[in-house]
Amino acid sequence: MSASVRSRRLLIFLGVLLVLAIWLSLALGPVSLPLLDTLRAALRMVGLPVTAAGLEQAELILGQIRLPRTLLGLAVGAVLALSGVAMQGLFRNPLADPGLVGVSSGAALGAAVAIVAGASLGGVPAAFEPYLLSFCAFVGGLGVTALVYRLGRHDGQTSVATMLLAGIALTALAGAAIGLFTYMADDSTLRSLTFWNMGSLNGASYARLWPLLIVALAVSLWLPRRARALNALLLGESEARHLGFEVERLKRELVFCTALGVGAAVAAAGLIGFIGLVVPHLVRLIAGPDHRILLPASALAGASLLLLADLVARLALAPAELPIGIVTAMIGAPFFLYLLLRGRA
Amino acid sequence: MRRIAGALALLIGVLTAPGLAGAEDLPQRWVSAGGSLSEWVVALGGERKLVGVDSTSQHPGSLRALPSIGYQRQLAAEGILALKPDLLLGSEEMGPPTVLAQLKAAGVRIETLSAAPEVPALQANLKRLGELLGDPQRAARTLADYEARLQRQAQWVEQARVTAPAPRVLFLLGHVGNSPMAAGKDTAAAWFVEHAGGRNLTGHDGYKPISAESMAALDPDVVVFADRRLSGDDAIAALLKSTPALASTKAAKGGRILWVDPTLLVGGLGPRIPQALADLSAGFYPAAPPLKVADRQP
């Protein structure tokens, strides 16, 4: 079987998996709806003429709770996985994670500022208040990443190694600042902060969804266009340059894409670990290192995995909910160990 | 199909209900997201209406058998809807706001009561709960009784202070094994200490870690310890083991380390507060005759 046939089959398989995950995410939840009602409500939502009799509850739960949640999971999963591919390509290291350039810790710092200081700050217009947390997380992520990128630049060149180290240093610094805010927090804000750090797709609403959807769409359309350049980068920076790719521009674009994508994802759903690390890895194991397959396949797999993890999060303790970061880490960490041990053998 | 029809009828019924007109409109399926609010619902005779509670509702123990909706700030809309409630009760801390909006859209009435540890908040809460339970007289009686007990407590403290000075109190909150946190001046713990007749020593806000040295320097007459996992003498033994610096204080030398249940401090004034205050003040003023706890809750 040729490589292209295999990768086409993988993409088809992942596409089917994603459709299945979306369906499960719409059909399952703590409220048990008859399958037929779910189906009819779903058909009505896409505009097909189905009788509305007896569908009020199904439409409400599907339309107002499960659909926004599913869209959120879809966007967050795809963006995190794509950013993971971009970072692993940029650092030419399969253990790289979007957090390396400081976007996660910057977002966490922004969230800590919003949660702890936001309450006492006052003066925030009431209309803006529900968005304060997301806004601060997004700005924090983008800001710290910009700083990491700036520190990595010297004489018009971006040193990836310096960026990596700057990322570690700024992550530590952000950690210290978060610690300071944690110290100043009272009991209840402390718990909000803890929960935010574990991520959740809970409480998704259309009003807060669209900025992320736009970013996710842009990143998913744009990154695959750089697949060839990323492939060339695998050979080394100078090799890629000799092959005619603008390496400096590529680096800048990769960092910007990651900061934008992860920043928006984290702002909408909190910190969700391991998707960005494990999904590209998993796909690479099956499909090989070609970014033309790796990028779309990772986006599909990341979205599916996050939706399935969210199903566990909302069903395991129903009517209460498990933070989704716990679920992804519980799946991700053992898998990561398995990869490490397998590589050693 | 019958179940859906029932749920639907319920939904339509709730959507079209014109507020609190008559007894037939009273909410029958309650979800409570607040420890002391759940306690009050039980104290006012509404326990059989509860169909779910949050993770802070631990008292009375029978509530733990109900489905848990998780932490009050991280409620999940669908999980709560699965319990088919017509009322969600909680404090200002309840959230996130989008989930509350979704629940409201699904026809769940949302009652937000105050969790402030002060009597006016309690008065308003009990009045509202009485209306919602359809028994305002019982709520009024309970409130009057509660206030009378707080009143007697205050008088008792006044009496005791004639003969003995107010003890200087350090309130520590901790998990076993970690260094404890000291309760600051604006906390429910400080309210508790003051109303039991003690003087809270700390000057900071909230609950903050406190160093062994500052504990020794404060040299409290009494240490009050609230631990989440151990109770009574076990908690005190563990505290002394984990914080040897305490041993040099007057409190430890005089054997005046007192344990209180930390769930008393969460979510405003609960029904167990007067009794706990009486117990604590008896520890503060060992020489005074203890306050008689006559008429307890009906």
Side-chain angles (χ1 to χ4, degrees):
Chain A
M1 187 160 52
S2 80
S4 73
V5 172
R6 245 181 65 180
S7 33
R8 196 175 313 135
R9 280 194 185 165
L10 177 71
L11 284 179
I12 291 170
F13 168 76
L14 287 174
V16 173
L17 181 70
L18 182 60
V19 172
L20 188 72
I22 291 174
W23 172 248
L24 287 177
S25 176
L26 289 175
L28 296 179
V31 177
S32 54
L33 294 171
L35 201 59
L36 201 63
D37 282 16
T38 315
L39 194 62
R40 282 165 62 210
L43 290 178
R44 258 178 70 82
M45 278 193 301
V46 292
L48 289 177
V50 180
T51 54
L55 274 186
E56 282 86 348
Q57 201 205 7
E59 277 194 297
L60 183 94
I61 290 194
L62 224 60
Q64 294 307 313
I65 297 177
R66 290 187 192 164
L67 183 64
R69 190 171 181 143
T70 304
L71 289 174
L72 178 65
L74 208 64
V76 170
V79 160
L80 288 181
L82 280 173
S83 307
V85 178
M87 285 299 102
Q88 293 177 3
L90 175 68
F91 287 105
R92 274 177 284 133
N93 186 332
L95 300 185
D97 165 77
L100 270 186
V101 287
V103 56
S104 310
S105 51
L109 177 59
V113 172
I115 292 174
V116 179
S120 54
L121 212 63
V124 182
F128 179 66
E129 222 181 308
Y131 305 97
L132 180 69
L133 175 58
S134 296
F135 178 78
C136 287
F138 184 68
V139 170
L142 229 54
V144 171
T145 311
L147 200 56
V148 167
Y149 178 73
R150 186 71 201 75
L151 289 171
R153 275 188 77 81
H154 186 68
D155 291 341
Q157 296 279 327
T158 314
S159 159
V160 170
T162 313
M163 255 175 66
L164 182 75
L165 294 172
I168 290 171
L170 286 184
T171 296
L173 205 58
I178 293 168
L180 200 61
F181 278 104
T182 311
Y183 177 79
M184 295 192 300
D186 61 31
D187 240 27
S188 50
T189 43
L190 204 58
R191 293 207 64 166
S192 302
L193 204 60
T194 315
F195 274 103
W196 187 86
N197 280 325
M198 294 189 288
S200 175
L201 302 185
N202 187 21
S205 70
Y206 295 112
R208 308 174 60 162
L209 200 55
W210 63 264
L212 172 68
L213 287 181
I214 292 173
V215 168
L217 201 66
V219 170
S220 325
L221 290 177
W222 187 87
L223 264 183
R225 296 165 61 97
R226 291 293 176 270
R228 283 170 191 283
L230 274 165
N231 280 347
L233 197 61
L234 279 181
L235 302 170
E237 281 187 27
S238 52
E239 286 81 354
R241 205 168 291 125
H242 290 305
L243 284 170
F245 292 102
E246 286 182 68
V247 174
E248 285 308 316
R249 209 180 106 192
L250 177 67
K251 286 186 206 163
R252 194 166 57 233
E253 289 172 346
L254 288 178
V255 172
F256 179 69
C257 247
T258 302
L260 198 66
V262 176
V266 168
L271 289 183
I272 300 178
F274 282 101
I275 295 280
L277 174 69
V278 166
V279 168
H281 231 322
L282 184 67
V283 175
R284 203 179 284 111
L285 275 182
I286 301 167
D290 184 351
H291 283 88
R292 285 172 301 177
I293 304 303
L294 189 54
L295 282 164
S298 293
L300 292 173
S304 312
L305 197 67
L306 198 67
L307 287 181
L308 295 176
D310 184 48
L311 269 181
V312 176
R314 66 173 111 145
L315 290 174
L317 292 181
E321 248 188 51
L322 209 56
I324 194 171
I326 296 178
V327 182
T328 56
M330 272 205 275
I331 301 170
F335 181 72
F336 190 72
L337 278 179
Y338 160 77
L339 289 178
L340 281 179
L341 296 178
R342 209 183 83 118
R344 205 172 56 181
Chain B
M1 272 322 273
R2 258 175 64 199
R3 209 177 46 178
I4 318 159
L8 208 65
L10 194 77
L11 191 74
I12 293 166
V14 171
L15 282 173
T16 52
L20 271 174
E24 63 273 17
D25 293 329
L26 289 175
Q28 294 304 320
R29 295 178 64 85
W30 293 38
V31 168
S32 170
S36 83
L37 290 174
S38 306
E39 269 183 67
W40 277 120
V41 172
V42 175
L44 297 176
E47 183 167 7
R48 58 191 174 75
K49 292 187 177 177
L50 288 174
V51 295
V53 292
D54 76 325
S55 57
T56 63
S57 301
Q58 299 282 325
H59 282 272
S62 55
L63 291 183
R64 289 178 223 176
L66 290 172
S68 168
I69 55 166
Y71 180 53
Q72 55 174 352
R73 283 170 173 264
Q74 284 295 326
L75 301 177
E78 217 191 313
I80 292 175
L81 285 180
L83 300 171
K84 303 193 183 69
D86 31 34
L87 178 78
L88 171 63
L89 184 69
S91 71
E92 320 84 341
E93 299 195 343
M94 183 167 64
T98 46
V99 166
L100 297 184
Q102 286 169 339
L103 287 170
K104 204 176 273 177
V108 178
R109 187 195 294 171
I110 295 176
E111 271 306 321
T112 312
L113 302 181
S114 169
E118 52 192 36
V119 175
L122 180 71
Q123 290 168 338
N125 288 358
L126 284 189
K127 186 162 178 288
R128 190 81 191 113
L129 286 177
E131 287 163 7
L132 289 166
L133 284 164
D135 195 351
Q137 287 85 13
R138 181 167 180 179
R141 268 202 318 274
T142 309
L143 177 65
D145 175 57
Y146 193 91
E147 287 183 307
R149 291 174 75 183
L150 287 183
Q151 187 74 40
R152 278 203 299 281
Q153 170 72 32
Q155 284 163 357
W156 187 88
V157 166
E158 215 169 290
Q159 283 277 306
R161 273 188 179 164
V162 174
T163 48
R168 299 161 62 254
V169 180
L170 179 64
F171 195 114
L172 296 176
L173 184 73
H175 291 282
V176 174
N178 295 343
S179 67
M181 316 251 256
K185 57 185 190 309
D186 61 338
T187 55
W191 184 95
F192 201 60
V193 166
E194 308 284 345
H195 281 74
R199 193 154 68 75
N200 189 39
L201 282 181
T202 52
H204 60 257
D205 295 328
Y207 296 89
K208 292 276 143 54
I210 182 168
S211 74
E213 209 174 312
S214 11
M215 261 189 246
L218 285 173
D219 197 15
D221 299 325
V222 179
V223 169
V224 181
F225 184 49
D227 186 89
R228 295 197 170 115
R229 268 190 289 166
L230 292 178
S231 60
D233 293 339
D234 294 342
I236 292 165
L239 175 69
L240 282 171
K241 206 172 148 205
S242 70
T243 3
L246 267 184
S248 68
T249 61
K250 285 200 205 86
K253 284 178 189 154
R256 299 179 75 192
I257 302 182
L258 307 170
W259 178 83
V260 300
D261 183 345
T263 58
L264 288 166
L265 306 174
V266 191
L269 301 183
R272 292 173 296 144
I273 290 275
Q275 179 62 50
L277 279 176
D279 292 347
L280 192 63
S281 56
F284 284 176
Y285 300 94
L291 175 64
K292 284 243 169 51
V293 189
D295 41 9
R296 301 194 57 172
Q297 295 289 325

